[in-house]
Amino acid sequence: MSLLTIGSVAFDALETPFGKTDKIIGGAATYITLSASYFTKENNLVAVVGDDFPQSMIDDLNQHGVNTEGLQVRVGEKTFFWSGKYHNDMNTRDTVEVQLNVMEDFDPVIPDSYQNCQYLMLGNTAPAIQRTVIERLHNRPKLIVLDTMNLWIEIANPDLMTLLPMVDVLVVNDEEARQLTGEYALVKAAARIRQMGPKTVIIKKGEHGALLFHEGQIFFAPALPLEAVFDPTGAGDTFAGGFIGYLAKTDDISFDNMKRAIIYGSAMASFCVEKFGAERIMNLTQEEIQARVSEFVRLSAFGLV
Ligand code: AMP
């Protein structure tokens, strides 16, 4: 089934306890579409970059089967830039600098060939832009998944509140869930979010896995205990791309299949953190992904006798 992803395509500068990068390719939609490319062949991107964005990266996306017809390249303008620095625990980070550049007045245009997509991933960007995409689709997709971040909860709360009833699944991390609801306990936070609109809520807990809340049912997916986490940037987006990519591939949005999708998303995220930026998810094989999913199964399988 076809997937439409919207979100940032960016230059990132990163600093982790393991090293530093100059500008490398990043952005929520970059990670999402790359991750989803291992599951679905109908992988459509809507985003904006400046003419400083390398054609070679657009070629790489195309080679992964990502349709970039909806990627606007603005001549004479600069690509969105984000720089972040991780603390020693790698679970927390500070935004050092943001240059909105082309994102400042991004007006998402949906090519005709993207209409009728069944799966919509609203990757990280301003809630007003995410909403515009829903409004510009002629038919409501079968499943709409929304990602957001602390910045939008803080500065665009009313926009976010009008968007939440329009989506099926919200994906946030534990701190964002607490910030959005004022509830510390994640079970209570998920219940509050479900009252705000989305019937399914996924709360990511970094190296401690992810929780899926769906109509009174809860599922917990562990994160793979890795020897070294090199750079967590994009792990959340890679998780979301694996999750929705798997659902688009299997075209089954039942709770049981969402559990499998969360494991695939977690497996993809576990690769992402092994190298800087998107490097590790550029050249994965189906065998590597399957082997990692099997590790997740082994990690949490047990018998009572
Ligand atoms: P994650 O580590 O999954 O939270 O996502 C990291 C990516 O989010 C980076 O590649 C950034 O380019 C992107 N990003 C950071 N801040 C923003 C923002 N305000 N809007 C859109 N994308 C952002």
Side-chain angles (χ1 to χ4, degrees), residues 7-14 24-31 80-83 86 93 95 97-98 100 103 123-126 147-152 173 176 204 231-239 272:
S8 55
V9 171
F11 284 127
D12 291 345
L14 311 169
I24 58 170
I25 306 290
T30 309
Y31 287 102
F80 174 82
F81 172 74
W82 174 79
S83 122
Y86 289 84
R93 72 180 177 207
T95 291
E97 191 183 346
V98 178
L100 287 177
M103 288 293 264
N124 191 10
T125 189
D147 187 11
T148 192
M149 71 185 292
N150 52 1
L151 174 75
W152 308 119
N173 68 31
E176 290 157 352
K204 300 168 289 176
D231 168 25
T233 307
D237 306 310
T238 304
F239 170 91
C272 178

Side-chain angles (χ1 to χ4, degrees), residues 193-221:
I193 294 171
R194 292 185 61 234
Q195 286 167 356
M196 294 171 183
K199 54 184 183 298
T200 304
V201 180
I202 296 173
I203 300 183
K204 300 168 289 176
K205 290 154 56 67
E207 61 174 331
H208 304 299
L211 289 159
L212 166 68
F213 298 88
H214 178 82
E215 287 168 6
Q217 306 178 86
I218 305 179
F219 175 68
F220 172 67

Side-chain angles (χ1 to χ4, degrees), residues 153-280:
I153 299 171
E154 237 170 83
I155 69 163
N157 205 277
D159 287 344
L160 190 56
M161 288 302 151
T162 52
L163 177 61
L164 283 172
M166 301 168 84
V167 309
D168 302 300
V169 183
L170 177 70
V171 186
V172 280
N173 68 31
D174 43 4
E175 281 316 308
E176 290 157 352
R178 290 179 176 124
Q179 189 188 355
L180 186 60
T181 62
E183 296 284 359
Y184 187 83
L186 295 179
V187 174
K188 280 191 182 170
R192 278 285 300 121
I193 294 171
R194 292 185 61 234
Q195 286 167 356
M196 294 171 183
K199 54 184 183 298
T200 304
V201 180
I202 296 173
I203 300 183
K204 300 168 289 176
K205 290 154 56 67
E207 61 174 331
H208 304 299
L211 289 159
L212 166 68
F213 298 88
H214 178 82
E215 287 168 6
Q217 306 178 86
I218 305 179
F219 175 68
F220 172 67
L224 206 64
L226 295 168
E227 270 182 36
V229 173
F230 203 67
D231 168 25
T233 307
D237 306 310
T238 304
F239 170 91
F243 173 76
I244 200 163
Y246 182 80
L247 292 178
K249 175 186 171 180
T250 51
D251 194 25
D252 171 357
I253 55 172
S254 66
F255 181 60
D256 273 344
N257 204 46
M258 282 197 188
K259 293 182 193 174
R260 286 186 279 273
I262 280 219
I263 296 295
Y264 274 90
S266 304
M268 295 305 293
S270 76
F271 286 117
C272 178
V273 301
E274 288 179 344
K275 287 197 174 158
F276 263 119
E279 193 185 338
R280 185 69 177 102

